[in-house]
Amino acid sequence: MSESFRIEHDTMGPVRVPANALYGAQTQRAVENFPISKMRFGRAFLKSLGLVKRSGADLGQQIGWRDTGGVCDGNNIAACGVPVVDTMGARGGAIHSSDEFLIVGSLVERAQLSALTILRLANGEDL
């Protein structure tokens, strides 16, 4: 049985990404160019993502994950199979371009999200 793909685009053009992958073009390029590991995220890491979503919900913030593009450390590290939460930073757009911008109001909400999540971990909240 052959694996199905979807086509994702970035500034370098189209790239084939496995249809079931939870990432986009830039992470696929990292996977292809830095084939270090086939590790998958473990249950504890996936539960920690749930903790972040619960913290966000308690703060009235909708939390989701998506490939933001760009070859950032977070994308490359994740592509190597190492758990990383690199997206709790400020929100903005046009990432890794000359048009990149910051939504200043997101600094407070992301600080609240980070603080609550870390507090819950420090207090031993069950993942």
Side-chain angles (χ1 to χ4, degrees):
M1 182 164 124
S2 65
E3 185 175 2
S4 60
F5 292 87
R6 66 180 191 272
I7 302 297
E8 293 282 341
H9 299 270
D10 63 8
T11 57
M12 295 175 63
V15 64
R16 286 171 35 126
V17 176
N20 64 347
L22 300 177
Y23 52 81
Q26 290 294 321
T27 300
Q28 182 61 37
R29 292 187 194 286
V31 168
E32 292 169 2
N33 291 301
F34 304 101
I36 296 172
S37 172
K38 294 287 186 185
M39 287 176 41
R40 300 286 181 212
F41 294 129
R43 183 175 295 273
F45 176 73
L46 295 174
K47 285 182 173 185
S48 70
L49 296 180
L51 174 62
V52 173
K53 285 192 83 148
R54 285 192 311 275
S55 294
D58 289 345
L59 292 167
Q61 301 175 16
Q62 184 176 358
I63 305 299
W65 285 270
R66 67 183 180 356
D67 185 346
T68 59
V71 184
C72 70
D73 290 342
N75 285 345
N76 289 331
I77 292 168
C80 294
V82 178
V84 61
V85 178
D86 188 46
T87 57
M88 287 175 60
R91 292 185 295 117
I95 190 167
H96 303 293
S97 78
S98 60
D99 297 321
E100 184 172 359
F101 65 92
L102 164 71
I103 300 171
V104 176
S106 71
L107 294 172
V108 171
E109 71 183 31
R110 295 307 181 158
Q112 291 170 335
L113 176 63
S114 295
L116 181 56
T117 302
I118 292 168
L119 177 66
R120 288 178 169 174
L121 287 170
N123 287 333
E125 182 168 317
D126 185 26
L127 296 177

